[in-house]
Amino acid sequence: MKQDDSTFNRLDYTYKLLIVISLLITACVLARDIVVPILISAIVSVVLLPAVKRLERKLSRTLSISLVLIIAFLLFVMAGWLIVNQMSSLVRDLPGLESKYNALVDRISNTLQDTFGMSAKEQNQLFKNGLTTLSGYATDLLSATTNVISLLIQVPIYIFLFLIYRDRFRAFAIRLLPDADEAVWKKDVENVIQGYTSGLLLVTIIVAILNSVGLLILGIEHAIFFGIISGVLTIIPYVGIFIGATLPVLMALLTKDSLWYPVGVIIIFSFVQFLEGNFITPRITGSKVSINALAAIIALLIGGKILGIAGMILAIPALGLIKIILSHTRHLKSFVILIEDTPIENSKSEASENNHE
């Protein structure tokens, strides 16, 4: 009888949780412009929390938070200035690249016609389809760019309020997870967000340097700009670095006479991707989140569907937090096995311990 009651309670809890998740997803879709700044601010707040706590030993909470926000904003402005400075030099060269681009298009058109027998009409239709797809991505990118100004206004305000009222959020979490050890889940949450975010920043810098050096060795114009962009795009797991390789490959096609240069760009980016996926990221951020590839890909797809590019960026840390919540929820601990990347033997032993409880 006790076993039946336990099963019923677990199903009842799961059913209620699914309803809550459905409502949250609906709210995210309908209020995307509101949700994205709040989620970004919450993650950045946890990252800045250690610096705020150090300053609070000598200064008031308000003054400590203000100083940390000012320093973080100045660092952000410096990084933005570096990217804009590199981008301006690329823009100056665009008029000279136009004729080379037209010549490249003519060359590709002749190749398609001679090799595959594709008529000019079929090529135009193919080009229109590709342009339609590209315009969709460009619209999303332009929308994301125009939202930067809004984010620059909203995010600092949200961060300030999150840090000011952090004691209330801690009390809420204690009520939400009454059976969990507060010190344990607080440490887990901080490890996931702070470790993953700081680690991701370090991975971005390393990838940007490696790609920049590789492009400089090949003699690709604006190598540093392309290296920085590819590094920044690594915040979108799995697909970001491939998107970042598109521009330098196109630049190599436009400015170099040999096809070995774009092939060299592809080889360099593939090699850096191999290093990033197998050595750099696992050593720096892998142990912080510990999420298997299948769960990560599904999270990326769902995050992208719900919140677009921002959802893909936030998907991995969000899944890490969900894993922590599930691990401290008595009825749902078993779902952690489907998310984590630890050996299955450890998961089995943890599951058996939970069943004995």
Side-chain angles (χ1 to χ4, degrees), residues 69-85:
L69 282 175
I70 291 172
I71 295 172
F73 181 76
L74 291 176
L75 292 175
F76 178 81
V77 169
M78 289 175 60
W81 174 83
L82 178 62
I83 294 176
V84 171
N85 185 49

Side-chain angles (χ1 to χ4, degrees), residues 108-138:
I108 294 175
S109 176
N110 293 332
T111 302
L112 290 174
Q113 191 166 1
D114 296 339
T115 306
F116 301 101
M118 187 178 292
S119 65
K121 183 178 181 180
E122 292 173 332
Q123 292 180 33
N124 289 333
Q125 185 61 41
L126 182 64
F127 178 76
K128 288 180 181 179
N129 294 336
L131 192 61
T132 302
T133 304
L134 183 62
S135 63
Y137 288 113

